[in-house]
Amino acid sequence: GYVRYEDLPLETRDGRHIAVEFVSNVYQAGDSKVIQCNVRDITERKKAEVVSNRLAAIVECSDDAIIGKDLNSIITSWNRGAEKLFGYAASEMVGTSIMRLIPADRQDEEGRILEKIKHGESVEHFDTLRQTKDGRLINISVTVSLIKDAAGKVIGLSKVARDISEHKAVEKKIRHLNAELEQRVLERPAQLEAANKELEAFSYSVSHDLRAPLRHV
């Protein structure tokens, strides 16, 4: 009495292959039974689903933390990269506030980010500190972009966070080496001046010692 196919492959008269949603049912029409068929082309929808699934797989497998949140900073999605970076499972974070990742002395950053987004400003490669599940502070670079629905209405934000702790450690080491080099450059003239004074004293001593026997001769 009723048949339904969510994804039925069909071929059109001109040889194109399409996917359709097919529903067929029987109903009484007077003394007769009539079979009604409803066929809806879902080819474009299936293509969009393939693209969406591919993007979802890319997001899920990314090494970067990719986090979705609503306009109240409540987390709506949490990928494996976020689990790896911050130590929290998706089940621990989805539905909670992003503020739990922000250190106490940086709580105002979230408000500033939201204000920038509301005024149409972009937030790209914003370097800051965030706190992991075990209490460690890590250096991250954050990029925030808008999430819009089909009508173009902003419904949330997408946050991409990349661990730059190693990069920051290298920067710190370079700054330390540069400071040492600058100090050595500053110390060099003083060392040269001291060496020149020692050389002058030695030369004077040698010349004095040589003058005494000469005077005797």
Side-chain angles (χ1 to χ4, degrees):
Y2 178 83
V3 176
R4 179 184 180 89
Y5 289 94
E6 296 287 347
D7 182 6
L8 180 67
L10 293 181
E11 184 175 344
T12 65
R13 183 177 182 178
D14 59 5
R16 290 183 300 109
H17 288 189
I18 62 172
V20 302
E21 183 181 76
F22 181 89
V23 178
S24 181
N25 63 292
V26 178
Y27 66 93
Q28 196 74 29
D31 296 332
S32 303
K33 288 185 176 181
V34 179
I35 298 175
Q36 174 178 295
C37 298
N38 296 327
V39 184
R40 177 181 296 168
D41 187 353
I42 59 170
T43 306
E44 293 305 317
R45 190 179 81 189
K46 296 298 292 184
K47 288 179 180 178
E49 285 178 1
V50 169
V51 173
S52 178
N53 291 337
R54 187 176 295 131
L55 288 173
I58 292 171
V59 168
E60 186 59 24
C61 297
S62 173
D63 288 334
D64 292 336
I66 302 177
I67 303 165
K69 57 184 180 179
D70 64 18
L71 298 177
N72 295 314
S73 298
I74 301 299
I75 296 169
T76 56
S77 64
W78 185 266
N79 75 334
R80 291 180 191 173
E83 290 186 5
K84 183 179 177 181
L85 182 59
F86 297 110
Y88 292 99
S91 58
E92 296 177 275
M93 295 303 293
V94 173
T96 67
S97 175
I98 195 76
M99 301 297 287
R100 68 190 298 186
L101 299 176
I102 304 176
D105 60 342
R106 293 175 177 264
Q107 293 279 308
D108 59 332
E109 287 183 355
E110 181 69 8
R112 293 204 305 267
I113 288 173
L114 290 174
E115 282 300 314
K116 281 188 175 183
I117 293 295
K118 287 177 182 178
H119 288 86
E121 299 179 42
S122 60
V123 177
E124 296 181 1
H125 309 301
F126 170 60
D127 293 353
T128 185
L129 290 173
R130 289 296 179 262
Q131 192 165 14
T132 64
K133 186 177 181 178
D134 58 8
R136 291 181 300 110
L137 291 178
I138 56 173
N139 287 285
I140 63 169
S141 178
V142 177
T143 297
V144 182
S145 54
L146 299 175
I147 300 175
K148 298 180 180 180
D149 62 14
K153 181 182 177 182
V154 176
I155 58 173
L157 302 171
S158 172
K159 173 182 176 180
V160 179
R162 174 170 295 178
D163 187 357
I164 57 170
S165 299
E166 186 175 343
H167 175 70
K168 287 292 184 182
V170 171
E171 279 187 349
K172 184 178 180 180
K173 187 174 182 180
I174 290 172
R175 286 196 301 269
H176 179 69
L177 290 173
N178 284 337
E180 282 188 351
L181 182 59
E182 288 176 3
Q183 185 62 32
R184 288 180 182 179
V185 169
L186 291 174
E187 290 173 354
R188 190 68 175 169
Q191 292 173 349
L192 287 172
E193 186 177 352
N196 285 334
K197 286 182 179 180
E198 289 179 6
L199 185 59
E200 287 175 5
F202 176 72
S203 299
Y204 176 79
S205 175
V206 169
S207 64
H208 180 271
D209 292 344
L210 286 173
R211 282 199 299 271
L214 286 173
R215 282 198 302 270
H216 180 70
V217 171

